Amino acid sequence: MNEALKVETHGIDVIGDADRHGRPRQLFWPWFGANVSVLGLSYGSFVLGFGLSFGQAVLAALAGVVFSFLLCGFIAVAGKRGSAPTMLLSRAAFGVRGNRLPSAISWLLTVGWETVLATLATLATATVFERLGWGGGATTKVLALLVVTVLVVGAGVLGFATIMRLQTVITVITGLLTLVYLGLVAGHIHLDAVTAIPAGSAQQFVGALVFLMTGFGLGWVNAAADYSRYLPRETPSRSVIGWTTFGASLAPVVLLLSGLLLAGSSPQLNTAIAADPIGALTTLLPVWFLVPFALVAVLGLVGGAVLDIYSSGLALLAAGVRVSRPVAALIDGVLMVLGTVYLVFLGGEFLGQFQGFLTTLGVPVAAWCGIMLADLTRRREYVEADLSDPAGRYGDIRWGPVALIVLATGLGWGLVTNSAAGWLGWQGYLLEPLGLAANWSGANLGVLFALVLGFACTLPTGRRARAAQA
């Protein structure tokens, strides 16, 4: 077993039985710690932005968060069965070299997410310092970014054991302080204003549901097996699914529902969150709690970024880059810093870019998830040596699944729109020809379409291949 503060030697290699340990309930800590971020409060504003009533928003929140993290639970079972990272196990579906395409997509998504989280931590720190009269300008932002970088990249380089210890600490601290925050802001909730919000259409509801799915579970499915691969083989699959789903969903559901109440009570707060999703929440706080809030915000965001940088490094290796896992984490850390500098100092409006990023990469990741879920219906365990052998039973390039992810992505992008991000205005090219532009342009059906198409096509067509691989 690796000790905390000792660099993990495992990369995308299979974990031997002697190194497998733990119980499924330990999955609660990394998943809760990665999703307890107060960003979940801001999602309440994002969802109301789709034009939903409070009741509709609650239903979308419960369905979008829990269902999407349930998908993570199913993918996590593959880690227990195959003793390897998610994107290495994906080779069983796509072939050893064919899997480089979904691995590259996974790498882009995780690097993007860690950049988003580092950006939010930097902006939140600057806002808190400004309210305290301690600065808040460029110097504060640079110092905040340095602290975030040390924590995120340091944990990513050290690896699994350090991350599991760190996530436990983050869970306890942020969980308790978040409860204090919710108690302090409860007086700003006005139920009459919240319940007066008019209902939206079915199309708006679907749009919010898809946004929540991509912002939560679908942002993690490509990393879900990375934290269950150290569990013993005899660990019950239902326990892996249950603890992953519960740990990941608990905090977002509570925070999102609280965010709906706060944003629905104040149009001013609702507007401010679009520009600074975390910092805007400080306007509700007494001065004495600003420093603890900064700690909550930064640690919660770091918890998510740490899991992302670890998984992004593994995805980079699975894509064929020949470096060690710690070096891969360092590479991703450099990209995270460069991306954060752009978003903080040059990027302008945050929300539109964020929604565009989630939806655009959410389509191919949803297609991959559908294919992977169907592939997990295989009855036998993975043959671990063949996961790295192009001449083995999983093959070199399985052209059917590769073509399917390309097709599903192309069609899915034609069914989504990103009007708030001008550089993505080319999307949605199928809505007009299919007669969907008038009513469904904001529903982002392409994400759901890619998920269903990937699963529905792989389940029957890949049955023979999965049997042959047994």
Side-chain angles (χ1 to χ4, degrees):
M1 176 179 179
N2 288 327
E3 299 176 355
L5 303 182
K6 180 179 179 182
V7 177
E8 179 189 10
T9 57
H10 290 295
I12 58 171
D13 52 309
V14 174
I15 306 300
D17 287 342
D19 291 326
R20 302 181 69 160
H21 52 79
R23 297 183 179 182
R25 65 170 176 263
Q26 292 173 320
L27 292 171
F28 175 86
W29 301 110
W31 286 111
F32 186 93
N35 291 283
V36 71
S37 166
V38 289
L39 177 61
L41 289 164
S42 298
Y43 268 91
S45 172
F46 301 160
V47 172
L48 290 178
F50 282 87
L52 302 185
S53 68
F54 176 71
Q56 288 176 315
V58 169
L59 183 59
L62 293 174
V65 172
V66 176
F67 174 72
S68 63
F69 278 125
L70 181 62
L71 299 179
C72 291
F74 288 130
I75 299 294
V77 173
K80 185 266 299 188
R81 293 175 63 185
S83 319
T86 315
M87 298 316 299
L88 184 72
L89 298 170
S90 178
R91 290 178 176 178
F94 292 89
V96 175
R97 283 196 304 157
N99 189 58
R100 290 180 179 178
L101 174 62
S103 295
I105 295 170
S106 174
W107 176 74
L108 283 173
L109 180 66
T110 46
V111 169
W113 258 115
E114 65 203 47
T115 302
V116 165
L117 296 173
T119 298
L120 290 170
T122 303
L123 291 174
T125 302
T127 301
V128 169
F129 274 54
E130 185 176 3
R131 279 205 63 198
L132 289 169
W134 298 349
T139 301
T140 302
K141 292 175 182 177
V142 170
L143 292 175
L145 178 56
L146 286 174
V147 172
V148 171
T149 300
V150 169
L151 290 172
V152 173
V153 179
V157 169
L158 290 172
F160 183 84
T162 302
I163 289 172
M164 294 297 281
R165 298 280 182 89
L166 179 63
Q167 295 297 80
T168 302
V169 174
I170 288 175
T171 294
V172 174
I173 295 175
T174 55
L176 291 175
L177 290 178
T178 299
L179 290 176
V180 175
Y181 174 89
L182 295 178
L184 290 172
V185 301
H188 293 274
I189 295 173
H190 305 290
L191 291 178
D192 54 341
V194 174
T195 55
I197 299 173
S201 65
Q203 293 89 339
Q204 291 169 313
F205 178 84
V206 173
L209 178 68
V210 171
F211 174 71
L212 290 170
M213 289 178 61
T214 54
F216 288 99
L218 284 179
W220 288 110
V221 287
N222 54 315
D226 297 351
Y227 305 96
S228 55
R229 63 191 175 119
Y230 277 91
L231 290 174
R233 296 180 188 275
E234 62 272 14
T235 303
S237 295
R238 64 180 179 276
S239 297
V240 174
I241 296 170
W243 281 108
T244 298
T245 306
F246 176 64
S249 299
L250 179 60
V253 167
V254 173
L255 290 168
L256 214 166
L257 296 181
S258 301
L260 288 172
L261 292 169
L262 290 171
S265 300
S266 172
Q268 294 79 14
L269 176 65
N270 207 0
T271 301
I273 285 174
D276 187 357
I278 304 295
L281 298 171
T282 65
T283 59
L284 306 178
L285 291 172
V287 173
W288 66 266
F289 193 71
L290 288 177
V291 172
F293 176 82
L295 181 64
V296 171
V298 171
L299 283 181
L301 295 166
V302 164
V306 162
L307 260 65
D308 277 317
I309 198 169
Y310 181 73
S311 292
S312 68
L314 295 175
L316 189 63
L317 300 181
V321 177
R322 297 179 180 274
V323 295
S324 66
R325 188 202 59 76
V327 170
L330 281 173
I331 292 172
D332 294 345
V334 171
L335 294 175
M336 178 192 76
V337 171
L338 293 175
T340 302
V341 168
Y342 170 76
L343 287 174
V344 170
F345 297 101
L346 303 171
E349 181 75 10
F350 175 83
L351 181 56
Q353 309 299 322
F354 179 53
Q355 288 179 321
F357 161 73
L358 286 181
T359 305
T360 299
L361 286 183
V363 172
V365 169
W368 171 86
C369 182
I371 294 170
M372 190 69 174
L373 289 172
D375 187 74
L376 283 172
T377 59
R378 62 178 65 245
R379 295 184 179 277
R380 295 184 178 273
E381 303 294 334
Y382 295 96
V383 178
E384 294 155 356
D386 286 354
L387 289 170
S388 300
D389 182 6
R393 69 188 64 205
Y394 303 120
D396 186 15
I397 301 175
R398 294 189 61 202
W399 290 106
V402 171
L404 179 57
I405 198 172
V406 172
L407 175 65
T409 299
L411 294 175
W413 278 341
L415 296 172
V416 299
T417 55
N418 281 294
S419 58
W423 56 285
L424 296 172
W426 54 271
Q427 295 177 352
Y429 45 81
L430 292 177
L431 292 170
E432 189 70 39
L434 295 176
L436 299 173
N439 297 317
W440 291 94
S441 60
N444 288 328
L445 293 174
V447 175
L448 294 177
F449 176 82
L451 176 66
V452 173
L453 184 66
F455 181 81
C457 290
T458 304
L459 188 62
T461 60
R463 185 177 291 115
R464 182 176 299 178
R466 291 191 294 275
Q469 292 173 357

